[in-house]
Amino acid sequence: MTRAASPSLTAGRATIPARTLRTDRWWQAPLITAVLLTLWVAYATVRVFTQRAYFVERYHYLSPFTSPCVTASCPSAARDLGTWLPHFPPFLPFGVLFLPFLLGFRVTCYYYRRAYYRAFWQSPPACAVAEPHGKYSGETRFPLIIQNLHRYFFGAAVLLSLVNTWDAIRAFQGKTGGIGLGLGTLIMVANVVLLWAYTVSCHSCRHIVGGRLRSFSRHPIRYRAWTFVSKLNAKHMQLAWTTLATLLITDGYIALVSAGVFGDLRIYN
Amino acid sequence: MAQGHFRVWRGNAEGGDLVDYDVEVNEGEVVLDVIHRLQATQAGDLAVRWNCKAGKCGSCSAEINGRPRLMCMTRMSVFAPGETVTVTPMRTFPVMKDLVTDVSYNYAKAQEVPAFAPPPGLAPGEYRMAQEDVARSQEFRKCIECFLCQNVCHVIRDHEENKQAYSGPRFLMRIAELDMHPLDSLDRKRSAQDDHGLGYCNITKCCTEVCPEGIKITDNGLIPLKERVVDRKFDPLGVLKQKLTRR
């Protein structure tokens, strides 16, 4: 191949009018992504705004959509972190205090960015399939330049994961007091373990623990931490989807038990 | 021996079209074998760039059934019997003739990346590095410069006007490689954003999907580079630390 002295910036491309010549079902993945994300957001919105059946006092099951519960509108038993704020008007969900941080963590997540840029913004819908936009500036301008603050949302997600961990510990409450174990406890523990895995596997976390270093050999502990996070990071996409499912399952189970649709399946006490 | 139905783009910068061919296909062959047979038996003037036939020179990049691939690494057995195989040149670059494109955009962008800069006073032969310090960069050294990642990147594939400002995944990965190098003395983070257009990348991972070497371009190159740029440009705490330590 000959080496050119200057870039050729004129088009002169092969004249192929078709948007893509791909023969596989390239539209399937973005379609499934769009449907699943839309359904999840719709479910979460309904649950957050209805503000019903989010707490099972007997076993101390608190929905992750409502945790931490720090307003006077929450049942007093759910307010483990205290009462920071007075009663909220009915139209204002408690979740408005903390969910924006969780939402921000997911919206700025490198995996979700790929998912919704493809599924919703069609930029591009799939590899080698032309996008419908006339211009493209990527993440160089407002508002998308805010994506660069993902690490701050990661910090908030760590704090909220600590709160979720506390909720899971509290879910070991027995029906007669003391320690107990029910299906709800197991669901909450599984949810929080996976939430931690998703949070720790974050690309910003990988950078913070060691990715920004130039020399690993001078920082052996951080190198080991980076190696661990890198292994988890390879599963970030799977964890992103799994935790959406476990959040939904956890909240749904608590809602059904709280509403009395069925009782909690108790294993011990 | 069987007959395969091929549609090959024939033409040049002035224009062209897909042309149909029926051509012999044998067991174990790759697309490049069939293109060569076509050249030998029916289309002597068909232009195709190739060299090693082993997936190591990066010359035979093209689009096969719309997917950017190396012709020499695409087995005919991946297609269903009777399936039409459409072969076109890479769409992002100007076409020269038939399947051959002018990839000089990439060479120009390569020249804009400053070379490895060892610390002053350290001569070649005196470099000492631990394996764990260079392991990250070594993944990027597998690149064969087939430019499939450049071709598939929608930033320039769908927006010719971005070619000036955006260097593409191959060269952003090169910058990441050098910025992670334990002995490189240049700070390449601001330049990655300001001069090479890292901000245009919206990490949709097509570069990773098409890489014939299986390099995790996005996860191991572009995203870590984005995070390093955040340290320098967008993170208020990072910027403050940088000012206090004068780094």
Side-chain angles (χ1 to χ4, degrees):
Chain A
M1 287 184 275
T2 53
R3 196 176 175 89
S6 61
S8 173
L9 292 175
T10 53
R13 303 183 185 195
T15 47
I16 302 169
R19 183 186 184 195
T20 183
L21 293 173
R22 281 180 66 166
T23 52
D24 59 329
R25 283 182 273 185
W26 57 265
W27 44 267
Q28 202 171 51
L31 179 66
I32 291 171
T33 303
V35 168
L36 290 180
L37 287 180
T38 304
L39 287 176
W40 195 93
V41 169
Y43 172 86
T45 306
V46 169
R47 286 289 294 143
V48 166
F49 277 89
T50 52
Q51 303 189 79
R52 286 186 193 155
Y54 57 86
F55 184 55
V56 181
E57 187 165 349
R58 194 176 194 192
Y59 310 120
H60 208 285
Y61 294 163
L62 180 60
S63 164
F65 289 165
T66 325
S67 178
C69 223
V70 292
T71 75
S73 304
C74 300
S76 57
R79 282 179 257 151
D80 281 0
L81 296 185
T83 309
W84 302 357
L85 295 165
H87 278 280
F88 271 23
F91 60 85
L92 192 63
F94 326 132
V96 78
L97 290 174
F98 300 103
L99 282 181
F101 296 103
L102 276 186
L103 192 66
F105 182 51
R106 301 238 170 197
V107 167
T108 60
C109 162
Y110 285 98
Y111 167 67
Y112 284 109
R113 274 146 77 177
R114 168 187 182 260
Y116 64 74
Y117 284 142
R118 283 191 184 200
F120 293 104
W121 196 240
Q122 306 270 296
S123 181
C127 301
V129 179
E131 60 177 62
H133 311 290
K135 286 192 171 182
Y136 173 86
S137 58
E139 298 179 343
T140 58
R141 296 180 191 167
F142 183 82
L144 293 182
I145 204 164
I146 295 174
Q147 307 276 31
N148 289 302
L149 295 180
H150 181 51
R151 60 185 58 179
Y152 286 93
F153 289 108
F154 162 71
V158 168
L159 294 177
L160 287 171
S161 294
L162 287 171
V163 173
N164 292 144
T165 306
W166 174 249
D167 292 336
I169 293 168
R170 293 284 278 123
F172 281 90
Q173 179 177 296
K175 58 186 169 188
T176 58
I179 292 177
L181 183 69
L183 179 59
T185 318
L186 297 178
I187 289 173
M188 287 184 72
V189 169
N191 178 51
V192 84
V193 167
L194 287 162
L195 279 180
W196 271 115
Y198 169 67
T199 307
V200 171
S201 68
C202 155
H203 291 84
S204 285
C205 174
R206 188 182 183 211
H207 175 73
I208 291 165
V209 298
R212 58 161 58 112
L213 297 172
R214 258 200 178 160
S215 172
F216 282 143
S217 55
R218 290 184 202 158
H219 304 86
I221 294 172
R222 289 183 72 183
Y223 175 53
R224 290 188 70 170
W226 178 84
T227 306
F228 172 72
V229 172
S230 295
K231 282 179 188 163
L232 270 183
N233 180 257
K235 304 285 179 198
H236 199 51
M237 177 183 79
Q238 290 88 333
L239 288 165
W241 282 108
T242 308
T243 49
L244 281 190
T246 59
L247 280 167
L248 196 141
I249 290 166
T250 308
D251 177 77
Y253 184 83
I254 291 170
L256 293 170
V257 172
S258 176
V261 176
F262 52 74
D264 182 35
L265 178 65
R266 300 304 293 175
I267 299 162
Y268 172 69
N269 192 16
Chain B
M1 186 184 81
Q3 287 286 306
H5 186 68
F6 269 61
R7 300 186 80 203
V8 181
W9 194 87
R10 304 293 313 271
N12 54 32
E14 305 301 316
D17 211 345
L18 290 167
V19 179
D20 289 83
Y21 297 99
D22 286 313
V23 60
E24 178 190 325
V25 175
N26 297 312
E27 191 177 350
E29 287 187 329
V30 294
V31 169
L32 185 59
D33 291 323
V34 182
I35 291 291
H36 278 159
R37 182 168 300 115
L38 197 57
Q39 204 179 35
T41 58
Q42 299 178 49
D45 60 341
L46 173 65
V48 55
R49 182 185 283 141
W50 67 283
N51 196 344
C52 75
K53 275 188 77 178
K56 287 296 162 196
C57 73
S59 300
C60 64
S61 301
E63 300 193 8
I64 301 167
N65 282 354
R67 305 192 78 148
R69 308 182 76 152
L70 294 179
M71 283 188 278
C72 72
M73 297 303 285
T74 307
R75 289 180 175 275
M76 287 303 299
S77 58
V78 301
F79 304 108
E83 183 179 353
T84 298
V85 180
T86 306
V87 187
T88 56
M90 290 192 284
R91 281 212 199 191
T92 302
F93 309 118
V95 68
M96 297 174 85
K97 186 175 186 307
D98 303 334
L99 301 178
V100 178
T101 51
D102 174 5
V103 293
S104 54
Y105 159 80
N106 300 289
Y107 299 128
K109 291 297 177 185
Q111 287 177 331
E112 291 171 12
V113 180
F116 169 67
L122 202 60
E126 296 173 350
Y127 304 161
R128 297 291 179 270
M129 293 162 278
Q131 177 56 35
E132 59 262 42
D133 291 337
V134 290
R136 271 186 299 182
S137 298
Q138 282 174 335
E139 179 188 6
F140 309 137
R141 301 293 292 182
K142 290 194 296 181
C143 177
I144 57 172
E145 298 212 318
C146 61
F147 303 129
L148 286 175
C149 60
Q150 302 282 89
N151 172 54
V152 80
C153 183
H154 70 110
V155 177
I156 47 177
R157 183 183 177 93
D158 297 337
H159 303 280
E160 178 77 18
E161 71 278 7
N162 286 337
K163 277 188 175 173
Q164 195 78 55
Y166 184 65
S167 293
R170 194 279 166 262
F171 299 105
L172 291 167
M173 181 177 80
R174 170 73 176 150
I175 295 168
E177 174 196 332
L178 290 167
D179 204 59
M180 291 172 187
H181 196 291
L183 288 183
D184 188 70
S185 57
L186 295 183
D187 186 345
R188 301 167 185 272
K189 299 168 186 71
R190 279 188 179 278
S191 173
Q193 185 80 4
D194 299 340
D195 305 327
H196 297 277
L198 179 62
Y200 283 87
C201 169
N202 67 343
I203 41 124
T204 40
K205 282 199 177 181
C206 288
C207 49
T208 303
E209 278 188 29
V210 302
C211 179
E213 283 294 308
I215 303 170
K216 305 287 184 205
I217 301 171
T218 320
D219 283 316
N220 292 345
L222 305 190
I223 294 176
L225 187 60
K226 272 183 175 264
E227 286 293 316
R228 285 164 176 246
V229 169
V230 173
D231 284 345
R232 281 287 181 278
K233 280 196 69 138
F234 301 112
D235 179 357
L237 291 177
V239 172
L240 182 67
K241 184 185 168 198
Q242 189 187 332
K243 285 188 175 169
L244 291 175
T245 57
R246 291 185 182 178
R247 280 173 56 211

